[in-house]
Amino acid sequence: MDLGGVAVAVDPTAAATALTFVAGGVALGSVSGLVPGLHANNFALLLAAFAPAMPGPARYVGAAMLAAGVVHTFLDIVPALALGVPDPAMAATALPGHRLVLQGQGREALRLSALGSGLAVAFAVPLALPVTAVMEQAYPTIRTHLPLVLGSVVALLLATEGTWIARGGAALAVGASGVLGLATLDIPATGVLPAGSMLAPLFAGLFGAPVLVEALGGEGVPPQASPTITTSRRFVGWVALVGTLAGAVVGYLPGISSAIAATGALVVLPQRGPRPFVVATSGVNTANTIFALFALVALGNPRTGVLVALDETGAPLTLGLYLCAVAIAAAIGFILVLVLGDRYLAVVGNVDNTHLSVGVLGLLCLLVFALTGAIGLGVFAVSAVVGLVPARFGARRANLMGVLLVPLTLGV
């Protein structure tokens, strides 16, 4: 092949094999994104466990892992919007995306999320090199003062709550989840699948189960209106850029979730509300995958479960291959949100909400047991109780990230 006078050798067999692995990763990421309770991390750890037996170089397994992680960040908005929709009377304390669903704007929310994730890929790839260069210089100082940095994040979370009651609930949520993290993070998983850790029941309990419990008896997904995006293109682009930069924070600093970073990102935006939050969170979530990849290459620190699994395979960090896998997965993920999202909302809208919530809770219990055994089920139950705290005070669920922030701040 000749590109502008430069000869480029392409091995068709190697290219076809790489694309096959990427396609497999896209399929796994689609399953994990659409099935509540599953995460691309679980599949990535399974792939890492079976990597030596895979018919292909380890770097192709790594490409499959990254493709799965990227597609997951596009599609996880779909069940997040469709499941756990509360009664309209509870809209004030619902998740931002659920507020849009209750207003009949769920199809718009899907498209805003797809744009946030898609634009994040477009912004993150060119920004990754300069940001990584800055972080290589700054990271030793940040690591030395990490407890102070994370403590400041907790203080920001509390300070940006709207009322003193919400701040009290936020402090309780941070403290309770932090104690839970201190008590359980180091417990070994005893599930039947070699892809579990206590993060699975902790996150399913803190962030998944409470939403479903609060939706019991709710009216579910109401009829959804036109998918037309009512926010200006320029503003969507600006929010996605801010979310991308916030994603860099998530990619380099431990304990910072997409919701926390999106909360910080919205502080600098002139307009707030559910639409900017959906765009920013989606942008953070997807950009995190790219920045975390560069952080692994530059600093040797894997910051996501997918990259931890990639690191465990011992695969060479072939950045060109991995960025191609990310780009292909992002394009497919964008299309899948549009193709599957509306149908998902429509199907869920025709199912009794109480039966649906109970069924999904049962699925979470099965997944937790498979990944972490009976001990994990106990952790899941306790986490679900703690996860109910923020909504009772009108506080953000992001405060539950104390489960990681507190142990990291204390250096445990």
Side-chain angles (χ1 to χ4, degrees), residues 20-47 61-80 285-286 289 306 325-326 328-330 332-334 336-337 340 344:
T20 300
F21 272 84
V22 170
V26 168
L28 292 177
S30 299
V31 173
S32 67
L34 294 174
V35 176
L38 272 181
H39 196 278
N41 294 351
N42 303 129
F43 284 133
L45 289 168
L46 282 173
L47 285 173
V61 179
M65 291 176 177
L66 284 169
V70 170
V71 170
H72 181 97
T73 67
F74 275 81
L75 286 177
D76 61 357
I77 185 68
V78 178
N285 208 17
T286 302
T289 302
V306 169
V326 166
I328 294 170
I332 296 174
F334 186 93
L336 288 175
V337 172
L340 300 177
Y344 203 106

Side-chain angles (χ1 to χ4, degrees), residues 283-307:
V284 171
N285 208 17
T286 302
N288 170 35
T289 302
I290 297 171
F291 285 113
L293 173 60
F294 277 80
L296 176 59
V297 172
L299 305 175
N301 294 323
R303 291 297 183 207
T304 69
V306 169
L307 291 176

